[in-house]
Amino acid sequence: MSILSVKNLSCVYSKGTPFEHTAVDNISFDVERGDFIGIIGHTGSGKSTLVQMLNGLLKPSSGTIALDGINIWDKPKEIRKIRFKVGLVFQYPEYQLFEETVEKDIAFGPTNMGLSEKEIHERVLSAAKFVDLNSEFLEKSPFDLSGGEKRRAAIAGVIAMDPDILILDEPCAGLDPLGRDILLSQIYRYHQQRGNTVLLVSHSMEDVASVCDKVMVMNHSHLELYDTTHNVFSEGDRLNSIGLRIPQITSVIDSLIAAGIPLKKGTLTVEQAVEDITEYLKREGRL
Ligand SMILES: Nc1ncnc2c1ncn2[C@@H]1O[C@H](COP(=O)(O)OP(=O)(O)OP(=O)(O)O)[C@@H](O)[C@H]1O
Ligand SMILES: [Mg+2]
């Protein structure tokens, strides 16, 4: 059974007013346990609205979301439990840090879950480890951390709830290139080690290409494409037509193929491209 099954999901903001706007329009998809899925789409396409519905923060206007086969709105009073199971890291989550110490901030979610002190402590340490914040950081005030460290502390707070599904809405936004690379590799490691399902909303095609197995493409409130990363980024023209692009390296390799060099189509990372080009040059006796 799919961990998440979404059927005919819609979200209409300000219904019945002149500002009525359908932000998610009749979309359906399944997510398999352990998947690492990228969600891309132009600004305003409905990505944040969609993920807020998936963790029960926003109620759908119509349609259903089943988590492990059970409709998450079957028992509206228990919707809080869904938020522990489907952990959502908002865009710019560092603005939600408010406790005296980083440790207390990370412990906020597990404390609300009613866990024992011992379990909370263990979860805080394990979550902090995923984002490389050592014990020295745990005692600091969150306000004394750098921007990137604050972001990592906020993400650790959601990881500490040990959600079955971790959703990150633009986790790398506003970080410098090194900060982005570090955070992305920590998220990748989290997925590898815990084997949990991860959904990553991102404007960076490079980031999605380097870590995600599948990609959802949102376009004007609709689900335009949902396939393996390789297949989605092989649809360069279709993505261009909706204002998105393929990763730069995919596009460079496509141009080389068009120029008659026999390389593999749908190359997703620079490392893959280097390997492929080196192999080709060796075959040709030019290296
Ligand atoms: N609370 C709200 N009330 C009314 N309209 C909203 C609300 N939140 C979002 N919208 C509108 O719904 C549409 C989808 O917004 P959403 O934030 O889901 O897009 P997004 O794909 O996450 O965009 P971005 O890439 O800029 O984060 C947009 O047109 C937005 O203006
Ligand atoms: Mg958004």
Side-chain angles (χ1 to χ4, degrees):
M1 189 195 346
S2 305
I3 187 165
L4 200 62
S5 186
V6 169
K7 297 255 181 308
N8 306 109
L9 191 69
S10 295
C11 177
V12 184
Y13 285 118
S14 312
K15 203 176 168 71
T17 77
F19 304 104
E20 181 167 317
H21 178 76
T22 303
V24 168
D25 194 4
N26 194 24
I27 74 175
S28 302
F29 60 85
D30 286 337
V31 171
E32 303 310 322
R33 193 174 297 278
D35 272 352
F36 193 158
I37 300 175
I39 304 180
I40 60 174
H42 57 79
T43 182
S45 57
K47 304 178 296 295
S48 295
T49 304
L50 170 64
V51 295
Q52 286 175 44
M53 284 195 284
L54 298 183
N55 98 321
L57 202 67
L58 265 178
K59 197 166 181 189
S61 307
S62 56
T64 56
I65 300 163
L67 181 65
D68 285 323
I70 297 168
N71 184 343
I72 65 169
W73 285 100
D74 264 359
K75 293 180 184 159
K77 282 189 184 149
E78 294 188 11
I79 199 68
R80 251 167 57 108
K81 285 191 189 154
I82 300 300
R83 295 187 197 136
F84 300 142
K85 288 188 181 172
V86 184
L88 173 62
V89 179
F90 289 96
Q91 208 169 331
Y92 296 103
E94 56 272 27
Y95 292 119
Q96 284 152 29
L97 298 172
F98 60 91
E99 294 278 6
E100 286 156 52
T101 64
V102 171
E103 175 159 12
K104 282 190 185 166
D105 244 312
I106 301 177
F108 184 77
T111 306
N112 274 339
M113 292 169 80
L115 302 172
S116 69
E117 294 256 328
K118 184 168 171 279
E119 172 86 24
I120 293 170
H121 187 66
E122 278 165 12
R123 282 186 178 216
V124 169
L125 291 185
S126 148
K129 210 166 153 204
F130 272 115
V131 290
D132 294 324
L133 289 176
N134 59 30
S135 51
E136 172 205 341
F137 282 102
L138 292 179
E139 281 148 35
K140 286 191 180 184
S141 156
F143 303 103
D144 291 335
L145 303 185
S146 74
E149 289 160 358
K150 278 187 197 160
R151 179 82 49 97
R152 277 147 54 191
I155 293 173
V158 176
I159 290 180
M161 296 192 298
D162 195 18
D164 294 337
I165 303 179
L166 175 68
I167 308 182
L168 302 120
D169 195 352
E170 291 278 352
C172 298
L175 299 181
D176 62 26
L178 182 63
R180 298 177 68 95
D181 285 352
I182 292 174
L183 186 55
L184 199 65
S185 62
Q186 289 165 344
I187 296 167
Y188 183 75
R189 187 178 60 189
Y190 167 83
H191 175 254
Q192 292 286 95
Q193 291 184 3
R194 287 258 167 116
N196 285 358
T197 311
V198 179
L199 270 56
L200 172 77
V201 177
S202 178
H203 277 280
S204 165
M205 303 302 141
E206 277 68 26
D207 288 358
V208 168
S210 68
V211 296
C212 300
D213 309 315
K214 294 180 186 166
V215 180
M216 270 183 210
V217 184
M218 291 291 293
N219 179 31
H220 292 295
S221 323
H222 294 279
L223 183 58
E224 174 86 21
L225 262 175
Y226 178 31
D227 207 332
T228 60
T229 309
H230 177 275
N231 287 350
V232 167
F233 288 135
S234 298
E235 298 261 4
D237 292 342
R238 188 161 170 194
L239 292 178
N240 273 328
S241 74
I242 58 171
L244 298 173
R245 58 168 189 83
I246 55 176
Q248 279 172 334
I249 191 64
T250 314
S251 157
V252 168
I253 297 292
D254 282 357
S255 306
L256 290 172
I257 295 170
I261 300 175
L263 297 170
K264 285 181 208 133
K265 215 177 149 38
T267 296
L268 296 173
T269 61
V270 174
E271 291 74 22
Q272 248 177 45
V274 169
E275 215 170 274
D276 207 12
I277 292 171
T278 312
E279 213 172 273
Y280 162 73
L281 291 174
K282 278 188 185 156
R283 261 196 331 262
E284 293 283 298
R286 289 157 71 181
L287 201 72

